[in-house]
Amino acid sequence: MKRIFKCVEKYFFIVILLAVIVSLVYPSSFQWVLSKYEGINILNLLLGIVLFTMGTTLKVDDFVNVFRNPKEISIGILAQYMIMPLIAVVLAKIFSLNIGLAVGLILVGTVPGGTASDVITFLSKGDVALSVSLTTVSTIISPILTPLITLLLFGNQIRFNPMDMFISIIEIVIIPIIIGLILNYKWPEFCDKLKDYLPAISSIVICLIVAGVIGANKQAILTSSIIIIVVIVLQYFLAMLLGFGVGYLAGMDKKQIITVAIELAFQNSGLSTGLAKAHFPNLSQATVPGALYSVWQNFAGSILAYVFRKYF
């Protein structure tokens, strides 16, 4: 059983590509992902599971690392919440994206870093402790910064309630992480045993989210696929390149530079999809960029991890 879970974790990019193919051929197969059960939003529940698994891997020492590396953490967080949103805004304007796709793209830029960055950093021989600290800190402050930056970027162009988004992120992100953290604190041995299975579980859940969103927006994706895919690829590689630049200019070592670049490019795209669906229900295409970004970042990240490990 453990081998199967390890295989899913190792070949995640293949699993997610298969999920995308199935969702495009049989879009109704994953309709349940975007539905409700007994009044509970299934998409948000799935996101909560991913963040809960992250919480079970965290310890107090991970937060202590923030104070051990204040320079690197500060630079990484500033880059996360300044560079990524600006990249999204510039690309949305250059390619004249409609308001739905623009909202989705900017949400990809304003959400915190994704947990997959820690895995890719490990595979790339980067600074894993720094990666975990950056992901944790960016996630914890996201209830404030994600709604605030989104509001600042859109102004009066669209109507949404930043306070409602703040509450959503608390429910989807912070509460599951805290539960996982408490579980790890109370029963560390049990959580240690779970580490062999949780990455694969998170990967499967992310695949379900991506498949659900892509299946529900099949027509929108097929009619605007070339443009939005080009934008997603550009957003990812621009973030990676600028991450390298920021790390280099800040005088970081090689491992830290690689880590900052990966952290900047890897976003919690599942969260951006959930926020788009919850807070911009009239913009159906707003969920598309997050789903596509999730596919691309994991596919490209797996390849880049090999390149970093072999040549850097």
Side-chain angles (χ1 to χ4, degrees), residues 217-243:
N217 295 277
K218 176 182 176 180
Q219 196 57 43
I221 291 171
L222 293 178
T223 56
S224 61
S225 60
I226 296 177
I227 293 176
I228 191 59
I229 287 175
V230 168
V231 170
I232 290 298
V233 172
L234 282 174
Q235 185 181 30
Y236 178 85
F237 280 115
L238 284 172
M240 189 71 72
L241 288 172
L242 290 173

PDB file of all heavy atoms in Angstrom, residues 217-243:
ATOM      1  N   ASN A 217     -15.924  23.643 -16.840  1.00  0.00           N
ATOM      2  CA  ASN A 217     -15.626  24.760 -17.750  1.00  0.00           C
ATOM      3  C   ASN A 217     -15.020  24.273 -19.067  1.00  0.00           C
ATOM      4  O   ASN A 217     -14.251  25.000 -19.694  1.00  0.00           O
ATOM      5  CB  ASN A 217     -14.663  25.736 -17.071  1.00  0.00           C
ATOM      6  CG  ASN A 217     -15.265  26.420 -15.872  1.00  0.00           C
ATOM      7  OD1 ASN A 217     -15.976  27.407 -15.989  1.00  0.00           O
ATOM      8  ND2 ASN A 217     -14.988  25.884 -14.686  1.00  0.00           N
ATOM      9  N   LYS A 218     -15.382  23.048 -19.463  1.00  0.00           N
ATOM     10  CA  LYS A 218     -14.811  22.452 -20.662  1.00  0.00           C
ATOM     11  C   LYS A 218     -14.957  23.360 -21.880  1.00  0.00           C
ATOM     12  O   LYS A 218     -13.982  23.621 -22.592  1.00  0.00           O
ATOM     13  CB  LYS A 218     -15.491  21.109 -20.940  1.00  0.00           C
ATOM     14  CG  LYS A 218     -15.023  20.449 -22.244  1.00  0.00           C
ATOM     15  CD  LYS A 218     -15.763  19.147 -22.495  1.00  0.00           C
ATOM     16  CE  LYS A 218     -15.368  18.557 -23.834  1.00  0.00           C
ATOM     17  NZ  LYS A 218     -16.084  17.271 -24.098  1.00  0.00           N
ATOM     18  N   GLN A 219     -16.144  23.858 -22.118  1.00  0.00           N
ATOM     19  CA  GLN A 219     -16.381  24.679 -23.299  1.00  0.00           C
ATOM     20  C   GLN A 219     -15.586  25.971 -23.254  1.00  0.00           C
ATOM     21  O   GLN A 219     -15.003  26.401 -24.254  1.00  0.00           O
ATOM     22  CB  GLN A 219     -17.878  24.996 -23.430  1.00  0.00           C
ATOM     23  CG  GLN A 219     -18.295  25.503 -24.806  1.00  0.00           C
ATOM     24  CD  GLN A 219     -17.927  24.537 -25.920  1.00  0.00           C
ATOM     25  OE1 GLN A 219     -18.102  23.325 -25.796  1.00  0.00           O
ATOM     26  NE2 GLN A 219     -17.391  25.058 -27.018  1.00  0.00           N
ATOM     27  N   ALA A 220     -15.555  26.594 -22.069  1.00  0.00           N
ATOM     28  CA  ALA A 220     -14.810  27.851 -21.915  1.00  0.00           C
ATOM     29  C   ALA A 220     -13.325  27.641 -22.150  1.00  0.00           C
ATOM     30  O   ALA A 220     -12.636  28.475 -22.748  1.00  0.00           O
ATOM     31  CB  ALA A 220     -15.030  28.424 -20.519  1.00  0.00           C
ATOM     32  N   ILE A 221     -12.806  26.505 -21.692  1.00  0.00           N
ATOM     33  CA  ILE A 221     -11.381  26.196 -21.862  1.00  0.00           C
ATOM     34  C   ILE A 221     -11.060  25.935 -23.326  1.00  0.00           C
ATOM     35  O   ILE A 221     -10.053  26.428 -23.851  1.00  0.00           O
ATOM     36  CB  ILE A 221     -10.990  24.976 -21.009  1.00  0.00           C
ATOM     37  CG1 ILE A 221     -11.049  25.342 -19.517  1.00  0.00           C
ATOM     38  CG2 ILE A 221      -9.594  24.479 -21.365  1.00  0.00           C
ATOM     39  CD1 ILE A 221     -10.897  24.161 -18.595  1.00  0.00           C
ATOM     40  N   LEU A 222     -11.931  25.184 -24.012  1.00  0.00           N
ATOM     41  CA  LEU A 222     -11.679  24.853 -25.415  1.00  0.00           C
ATOM     42  C   LEU A 222     -11.757  26.079 -26.318  1.00  0.00           C
ATOM     43  O   LEU A 222     -11.041  26.160 -27.318  1.00  0.00           O
ATOM     44  CB  LEU A 222     -12.683  23.794 -25.881  1.00  0.00           C
ATOM     45  CG  LEU A 222     -12.541  22.411 -25.230  1.00  0.00           C
ATOM     46  CD1 LEU A 222     -13.624  21.476 -25.735  1.00  0.00           C
ATOM     47  CD2 LEU A 222     -11.157  21.824 -25.494  1.00  0.00           C
ATOM     48  N   THR A 223     -12.602  27.033 -25.961  1.00  0.00           N
ATOM     49  CA  THR A 223     -12.754  28.221 -26.809  1.00  0.00           C
ATOM     50  C   THR A 223     -11.698  29.280 -26.536  1.00  0.00           C
ATOM     51  O   THR A 223     -11.474  30.164 -27.357  1.00  0.00           O
ATOM     52  CB  THR A 223     -14.156  28.849 -26.615  1.00  0.00           C
ATOM     53  OG1 THR A 223     -14.355  29.139 -25.219  1.00  0.00           O
ATOM     54  CG2 THR A 223     -15.235  27.915 -27.103  1.00  0.00           C
ATOM     55  N   SER A 224     -11.056  29.223 -25.371  1.00  0.00           N
ATOM     56  CA  SER A 224     -10.045  30.248 -25.066  1.00  0.00           C
ATOM     57  C   SER A 224      -8.722  29.603 -24.648  1.00  0.00           C
ATOM     58  O   SER A 224      -7.902  30.223 -24.000  1.00  0.00           O
ATOM     59  CB  SER A 224     -10.545  31.152 -23.946  1.00  0.00           C
ATOM     60  OG  SER A 224     -10.780  30.411 -22.769  1.00  0.00           O
ATOM     61  N   SER A 225      -8.547  28.344 -25.032  1.00  0.00           N
ATOM     62  CA  SER A 225      -7.426  27.559 -24.522  1.00  0.00           C
ATOM     63  C   SER A 225      -6.057  28.120 -24.880  1.00  0.00           C
ATOM     64  O   SER A 225      -5.180  28.219 -24.027  1.00  0.00           O
ATOM     65  CB  SER A 225      -7.546  26.112 -24.998  1.00  0.00           C
ATOM     66  OG  SER A 225      -7.546  26.060 -26.410  1.00  0.00           O
ATOM     67  N   ILE A 226      -5.849  28.496 -26.132  1.00  0.00           N
ATOM     68  CA  ILE A 226      -4.515  28.907 -26.560  1.00  0.00           C
ATOM     69  C   ILE A 226      -4.056  30.141 -25.803  1.00  0.00           C
ATOM     70  O   ILE A 226      -2.954  30.176 -25.249  1.00  0.00           O
ATOM     71  CB  ILE A 226      -4.489  29.168 -28.083  1.00  0.00           C
ATOM     72  CG1 ILE A 226      -4.785  27.879 -28.846  1.00  0.00           C
ATOM     73  CG2 ILE A 226      -3.145  29.748 -28.493  1.00  0.00           C
ATOM     74  CD1 ILE A 226      -4.846  28.055 -30.341  1.00  0.00           C
ATOM     75  N   ILE A 227      -4.910  31.153 -25.740  1.00  0.00           N
ATOM     76  CA  ILE A 227      -4.531  32.401 -25.084  1.00  0.00           C
ATOM     77  C   ILE A 227      -4.266  32.189 -23.599  1.00  0.00           C
ATOM     78  O   ILE A 227      -3.218  32.594 -23.082  1.00  0.00           O
ATOM     79  CB  ILE A 227      -5.631  33.473 -25.268  1.00  0.00           C
ATOM     80  CG1 ILE A 227      -5.729  33.884 -26.732  1.00  0.00           C
ATOM     81  CG2 ILE A 227      -5.328  34.701 -24.407  1.00  0.00           C
ATOM     82  CD1 ILE A 227      -6.843  34.854 -27.021  1.00  0.00           C
ATOM     83  N   ILE A 228      -5.186  31.558 -22.909  1.00  0.00           N
ATOM     84  CA  ILE A 228      -5.042  31.437 -21.459  1.00  0.00           C
ATOM     85  C   ILE A 228      -3.896  30.487 -21.103  1.00  0.00           C
ATOM     86  O   ILE A 228      -3.194  30.691 -20.101  1.00  0.00           O
ATOM     87  CB  ILE A 228      -6.366  30.974 -20.796  1.00  0.00           C
ATOM     88  CG1 ILE A 228      -6.274  31.107 -19.272  1.00  0.00           C
ATOM     89  CG2 ILE A 228      -6.732  29.565 -21.207  1.00  0.00           C
ATOM     90  CD1 ILE A 228      -5.986  32.485 -18.774  1.00  0.00           C
ATOM     91  N   ILE A 229      -3.648  29.463 -21.919  1.00  0.00           N
ATOM     92  CA  ILE A 229      -2.523  28.571 -21.647  1.00  0.00           C
ATOM     93  C   ILE A 229      -1.198  29.316 -21.820  1.00  0.00           C
ATOM     94  O   ILE A 229      -0.280  29.168 -21.006  1.00  0.00           O
ATOM     95  CB  ILE A 229      -2.571  27.328 -22.567  1.00  0.00           C
ATOM     96  CG1 ILE A 229      -3.696  26.390 -22.105  1.00  0.00           C
ATOM     97  CG2 ILE A 229      -1.236  26.584 -22.566  1.00  0.00           C
ATOM     98  CD1 ILE A 229      -3.927  25.200 -23.000  1.00  0.00           C
ATOM     99  N   VAL A 230      -1.104  30.140 -22.863  1.00  0.00           N
ATOM    100  CA  VAL A 230       0.104  30.953 -23.066  1.00  0.00           C
ATOM    101  C   VAL A 230       0.321  31.879 -21.872  1.00  0.00           C
ATOM    102  O   VAL A 230       1.448  32.022 -21.361  1.00  0.00           O
ATOM    103  CB  VAL A 230      -0.008  31.788 -24.363  1.00  0.00           C
ATOM    104  CG1 VAL A 230       1.107  32.838 -24.424  1.00  0.00           C
ATOM    105  CG2 VAL A 230       0.074  30.883 -25.583  1.00  0.00           C
ATOM    106  N   VAL A 231      -0.749  32.496 -21.392  1.00  0.00           N
ATOM    107  CA  VAL A 231      -0.661  33.409 -20.250  1.00  0.00           C
ATOM    108  C   VAL A 231      -0.204  32.661 -18.998  1.00  0.00           C
ATOM    109  O   VAL A 231       0.662  33.146 -18.249  1.00  0.00           O
ATOM    110  CB  VAL A 231      -2.019  34.099 -20.001  1.00  0.00           C
ATOM    111  CG1 VAL A 231      -1.992  34.858 -18.680  1.00  0.00           C
ATOM    112  CG2 VAL A 231      -2.333  35.057 -21.137  1.00  0.00           C
ATOM    113  N   ILE A 232      -0.779  31.489 -18.754  1.00  0.00           N
ATOM    114  CA  ILE A 232      -0.423  30.688 -17.579  1.00  0.00           C
ATOM    115  C   ILE A 232       1.052  30.294 -17.607  1.00  0.00           C
ATOM    116  O   ILE A 232       1.770  30.394 -16.604  1.00  0.00           O
ATOM    117  CB  ILE A 232      -1.311  29.427 -17.494  1.00  0.00           C
ATOM    118  CG1 ILE A 232      -2.762  29.798 -17.148  1.00  0.00           C
ATOM    119  CG2 ILE A 232      -0.759  28.440 -16.473  1.00  0.00           C
ATOM    120  CD1 ILE A 232      -2.948  30.471 -15.823  1.00  0.00           C
ATOM    121  N   VAL A 233       1.513  29.849 -18.774  1.00  0.00           N
ATOM    122  CA  VAL A 233       2.920  29.446 -18.912  1.00  0.00           C
ATOM    123  C   VAL A 233       3.834  30.644 -18.675  1.00  0.00           C
ATOM    124  O   VAL A 233       4.862  30.537 -17.985  1.00  0.00           O
ATOM    125  CB  VAL A 233       3.181  28.832 -20.307  1.00  0.00           C
ATOM    126  CG1 VAL A 233       4.668  28.600 -20.534  1.00  0.00           C
ATOM    127  CG2 VAL A 233       2.423  27.515 -20.450  1.00  0.00           C
ATOM    128  N   LEU A 234       3.473  31.791 -19.236  1.00  0.00           N
ATOM    129  CA  LEU A 234       4.273  33.003 -19.048  1.00  0.00           C
ATOM    130  C   LEU A 234       4.290  33.427 -17.583  1.00  0.00           C
ATOM    131  O   LEU A 234       5.337  33.817 -17.045  1.00  0.00           O
ATOM    132  CB  LEU A 234       3.718  34.139 -19.911  1.00  0.00           C
ATOM    133  CG  LEU A 234       4.066  34.096 -21.406  1.00  0.00           C
ATOM    134  CD1 LEU A 234       3.312  35.197 -22.148  1.00  0.00           C
ATOM    135  CD2 LEU A 234       5.569  34.253 -21.613  1.00  0.00           C
ATOM    136  N   GLN A 235       3.136  33.373 -16.935  1.00  0.00           N
ATOM    137  CA  GLN A 235       3.055  33.752 -15.522  1.00  0.00           C
ATOM    138  C   GLN A 235       3.994  32.888 -14.676  1.00  0.00           C
ATOM    139  O   GLN A 235       4.713  33.390 -13.808  1.00  0.00           O
ATOM    140  CB  GLN A 235       1.616  33.614 -15.022  1.00  0.00           C
ATOM    141  CG  GLN A 235       1.409  34.115 -13.590  1.00  0.00           C
ATOM    142  CD  GLN A 235      -0.018  33.935 -13.121  1.00  0.00           C
ATOM    143  OE1 GLN A 235      -0.714  33.019 -13.550  1.00  0.00           O
ATOM    144  NE2 GLN A 235      -0.467  34.810 -12.245  1.00  0.00           N
ATOM    145  N   TYR A 236       4.009  31.611 -14.966  1.00  0.00           N
ATOM    146  CA  TYR A 236       4.841  30.670 -14.210  1.00  0.00           C
ATOM    147  C   TYR A 236       6.326  30.954 -14.412  1.00  0.00           C
ATOM    148  O   TYR A 236       7.094  31.080 -13.443  1.00  0.00           O
ATOM    149  CB  TYR A 236       4.499  29.246 -14.653  1.00  0.00           C
ATOM    150  CG  TYR A 236       5.315  28.173 -13.977  1.00  0.00           C
ATOM    151  CD1 TYR A 236       4.941  27.662 -12.747  1.00  0.00           C
ATOM    152  CD2 TYR A 236       6.466  27.657 -14.579  1.00  0.00           C
ATOM    153  CE1 TYR A 236       5.680  26.671 -12.119  1.00  0.00           C
ATOM    154  CE2 TYR A 236       7.208  26.667 -13.967  1.00  0.00           C
ATOM    155  CZ  TYR A 236       6.812  26.178 -12.740  1.00  0.00           C
ATOM    156  OH  TYR A 236       7.554  25.201 -12.126  1.00  0.00           O
ATOM    157  N   PHE A 237       6.747  31.075 -15.678  1.00  0.00           N
ATOM    158  CA  PHE A 237       8.177  31.245 -15.948  1.00  0.00           C
ATOM    159  C   PHE A 237       8.681  32.643 -15.578  1.00  0.00           C
ATOM    160  O   PHE A 237       9.834  32.793 -15.163  1.00  0.00           O
ATOM    161  CB  PHE A 237       8.482  30.923 -17.411  1.00  0.00           C
ATOM    162  CG  PHE A 237       8.590  29.452 -17.676  1.00  0.00           C
ATOM    163  CD1 PHE A 237       7.686  28.804 -18.491  1.00  0.00           C
ATOM    164  CD2 PHE A 237       9.599  28.703 -17.078  1.00  0.00           C
ATOM    165  CE1 PHE A 237       7.782  27.440 -18.719  1.00  0.00           C
ATOM    166  CE2 PHE A 237       9.699  27.337 -17.301  1.00  0.00           C
ATOM    167  CZ  PHE A 237       8.793  26.705 -18.126  1.00  0.00           C
ATOM    168  N   LEU A 238       7.834  33.652 -15.723  1.00  0.00           N
ATOM    169  CA  LEU A 238       8.224  34.990 -15.276  1.00  0.00           C
ATOM    170  C   LEU A 238       8.442  35.004 -13.770  1.00  0.00           C
ATOM    171  O   LEU A 238       9.396  35.611 -13.268  1.00  0.00           O
ATOM    172  CB  LEU A 238       7.155  36.017 -15.668  1.00  0.00           C
ATOM    173  CG  LEU A 238       7.126  36.441 -17.138  1.00  0.00           C
ATOM    174  CD1 LEU A 238       5.895  37.310 -17.414  1.00  0.00           C
ATOM    175  CD2 LEU A 238       8.402  37.199 -17.508  1.00  0.00           C
ATOM    176  N   ALA A 239       7.554  34.324 -13.044  1.00  0.00           N
ATOM    177  CA  ALA A 239       7.700  34.240 -11.586  1.00  0.00           C
ATOM    178  C   ALA A 239       8.996  33.518 -11.223  1.00  0.00           C
ATOM    179  O   ALA A 239       9.730  33.946 -10.319  1.00  0.00           O
ATOM    180  CB  ALA A 239       6.503  33.514 -10.981  1.00  0.00           C
ATOM    181  N   MET A 240       9.288  32.434 -11.930  1.00  0.00           N
ATOM    182  CA  MET A 240      10.512  31.678 -11.670  1.00  0.00           C
ATOM    183  C   MET A 240      11.751  32.532 -11.930  1.00  0.00           C
ATOM    184  O   MET A 240      12.680  32.592 -11.107  1.00  0.00           O
ATOM    185  CB  MET A 240      10.534  30.431 -12.550  1.00  0.00           C
ATOM    186  CG  MET A 240      11.634  29.428 -12.238  1.00  0.00           C
ATOM    187  SD  MET A 240      11.399  28.543 -10.675  1.00  0.00           S
ATOM    188  CE  MET A 240      10.021  27.448 -11.073  1.00  0.00           C
ATOM    189  N   LEU A 241      11.776  33.225 -13.071  1.00  0.00           N
ATOM    190  CA  LEU A 241      12.931  34.058 -13.436  1.00  0.00           C
ATOM    191  C   LEU A 241      13.107  35.226 -12.463  1.00  0.00           C
ATOM    192  O   LEU A 241      14.228  35.531 -12.029  1.00  0.00           O
ATOM    193  CB  LEU A 241      12.761  34.586 -14.868  1.00  0.00           C
ATOM    194  CG  LEU A 241      12.921  33.550 -15.986  1.00  0.00           C
ATOM    195  CD1 LEU A 241      12.543  34.151 -17.326  1.00  0.00           C
ATOM    196  CD2 LEU A 241      14.360  33.034 -16.030  1.00  0.00           C
ATOM    197  N   LEU A 242      12.014  35.878 -12.122  1.00  0.00           N
ATOM    198  CA  LEU A 242      12.091  37.006 -11.193  1.00  0.00           C
ATOM    199  C   LEU A 242      12.479  36.536  -9.799  1.00  0.00           C
ATOM    200  O   LEU A 242      13.160  37.248  -9.059  1.00  0.00           O
ATOM    201  CB  LEU A 242      10.753  37.755 -11.156  1.00  0.00           C
ATOM    202  CG  LEU A 242      10.423  38.539 -12.436  1.00  0.00           C
ATOM    203  CD1 LEU A 242       9.009  39.093 -12.371  1.00  0.00           C
ATOM    204  CD2 LEU A 242      11.424  39.673 -12.641  1.00  0.00           C
ATOM    205  N   GLY A 243      12.057  35.331  -9.445  1.00  0.00           N
ATOM    206  CA  GLY A 243      12.455  34.752  -8.165  1.00  0.00           C
ATOM    207  C   GLY A 243      13.965  34.550  -8.098  1.00  0.00           C
ATOM    208  O   GLY A 243      14.599  34.842  -7.080  1.00  0.00           O
TER     209      GLY A 243
END
